[in-house]
Amino acid sequence: MSFLDQIDTIKLPQHIAIIMDGNGRWAKQKGKLRVFGHQNGVKAVREALEGCVKANIKFLTLYAFSAENWNRPKLEVMALMELLVTSLKKEIKTFQENGVRLNVIGDITKLPSNAQRKLQETIEATKENTHCTLTLALSYSSRQEIVDAARNLARKVKDGKLHADEINDELFAANLYTQNLPDPDLLIRTSGELRISNFLLWQIAYSELCFLDKMWPEFTKEDLFKSIVDYQQRERRFGKTSEQL
């Protein structure tokens, strides 16, 4: 029996975020170059997206490329950027058939011009789709996102458009890159690493965390479905007691 059949459709997480980790190590274990792992990681992205569509998850956010990843070897970065472009070209049909809308967060101005162009073309082509929003975190740093939000609010205070006492959680969140997304209910990380790596630090304050031992290229729909089932077995109290729920 598939874990999909065990999912409670009443208690679905609205938003799932995934740290896609382990491509390079997976390739190294097979005696291949790191780019081989990234190429196979694209298949896992498709598995995750199609799994979300099947399970009726409305928002999926993938940590595709961190701001720190620019420090990797130049050839690997170039290969990743080219892979991004070719993948978007190949997957546009899948997006349209499954009602997937593409969204991007991060400093995409640092991406090559062809990657920026293809991202904007895909965003425009899928903007009317409503079944699932796929957000790619590209050249993304959560700390930088928080700093940018603070700077934006500080400018508004300086310009007299906002009083400092008016700043609260909701207003701060409205100045983040994710202002149009709900906070993730579930965060999944592959590869066995037990850290967050500068990803959605503000947004995951009350997210349930799920760490998987398998590498990202090995990730399947069943892994997604099992993670959802595990999530549904947890009690989410948001600071309250069990009796208050």
Side-chain angles (χ1 to χ4, degrees):
M1 178 187 293
S2 169
F3 281 104
L4 178 62
D5 301 319
Q6 300 179 38
I7 293 176
D8 182 347
T9 57
I10 305 299
K11 297 170 60 179
L12 284 174
Q14 186 179 18
H15 184 179
I16 296 176
I18 304 180
I19 300 175
M20 307 180 294
D21 194 26
N23 288 334
R25 278 169 287 165
W26 181 83
K28 187 176 181 181
Q29 289 171 1
K30 298 183 177 300
K32 303 284 188 178
L33 296 175
R34 291 177 59 86
V35 68
F36 179 75
H38 297 305
Q39 290 167 342
N40 281 269
V42 173
K43 299 175 184 177
V45 170
R46 190 180 303 117
E47 286 281 304
L49 180 58
E50 291 179 352
C52 281
V53 170
K54 277 194 172 184
N56 203 29
I57 305 301
K58 293 301 182 183
F59 299 90
L60 172 65
T61 297
L62 302 177
Y63 202 6
F65 191 85
S66 73
E68 293 79 13
N69 286 157
W70 290 113
N71 296 318
R72 290 188 174 187
K74 187 174 181 180
L75 285 177
E76 181 180 352
V77 172
M78 290 174 60
L80 279 167
M81 293 299 109
E82 182 60 31
L83 184 60
L84 171 63
V85 173
T86 56
S87 298
L88 287 171
K89 288 179 180 178
K90 290 179 181 178
E91 298 302 325
I92 183 66
K93 184 179 179 181
T94 301
F95 292 167
Q96 302 293 37
E97 290 177 347
N98 290 282
V100 175
R101 180 175 73 92
L102 182 66
N103 181 49
V104 179
I105 57 174
D107 185 5
I108 63 171
T109 62
K110 292 184 177 179
L111 272 60
S113 58
N114 63 330
Q116 292 184 47
R117 184 169 58 254
K118 180 50 64 176
L119 280 167
Q120 293 300 333
E121 288 174 0
T122 309
I123 289 170
E124 179 64 24
T126 62
K127 66 181 182 180
E128 301 299 330
N129 295 341
T130 59
H131 190 77
C132 179
T133 296
L134 170 64
T135 298
L136 299 180
L138 289 164
S139 190
Y140 174 84
S141 161
S142 185
R143 285 183 171 181
Q144 187 60 52
E145 176 184 24
I146 292 169
V147 168
D148 287 347
R151 283 176 177 166
N152 189 36
L153 290 168
R155 289 190 190 102
K156 291 178 181 178
V157 171
K158 182 181 178 182
D159 294 341
K161 298 177 180 178
L162 180 70
H163 195 281
D165 291 340
E166 295 177 282
I167 300 174
N168 55 24
D169 286 8
E170 291 77 16
L171 187 58
F172 196 89
N175 282 268
L176 295 172
Y177 305 158
T178 55
Q179 57 189 258
N180 296 318
L181 301 174
D183 288 343
D185 303 291
L186 172 62
L187 172 70
I188 300 170
R189 180 171 187 149
T190 56
S191 86
E193 300 290 355
L194 306 177
R195 57 178 178 269
I196 304 304
S197 297
N198 197 13
F199 184 49
L200 301 176
L201 299 178
W202 174 281
Q203 297 88 339
I204 63 169
Y206 281 100
S207 300
E208 296 296 327
L209 309 182
C210 179
F211 298 100
L212 304 181
D213 286 332
K214 59 172 52 182
M215 302 297 181
W216 178 246
E218 303 168 323
F219 188 87
T220 67
K221 295 183 189 71
E222 280 300 298
D223 294 310
L224 178 78
F225 299 152
K226 184 178 185 302
S227 297
I228 295 173
V229 171
D230 290 344
Y231 159 86
Q232 292 183 333
Q233 293 172 351
R234 303 181 190 183
E235 185 178 72
R236 306 189 74 205
R237 297 190 296 274
F238 300 98
K240 297 180 181 180
T241 66
S242 299
E243 291 73 23
Q244 289 177 294
L245 299 178

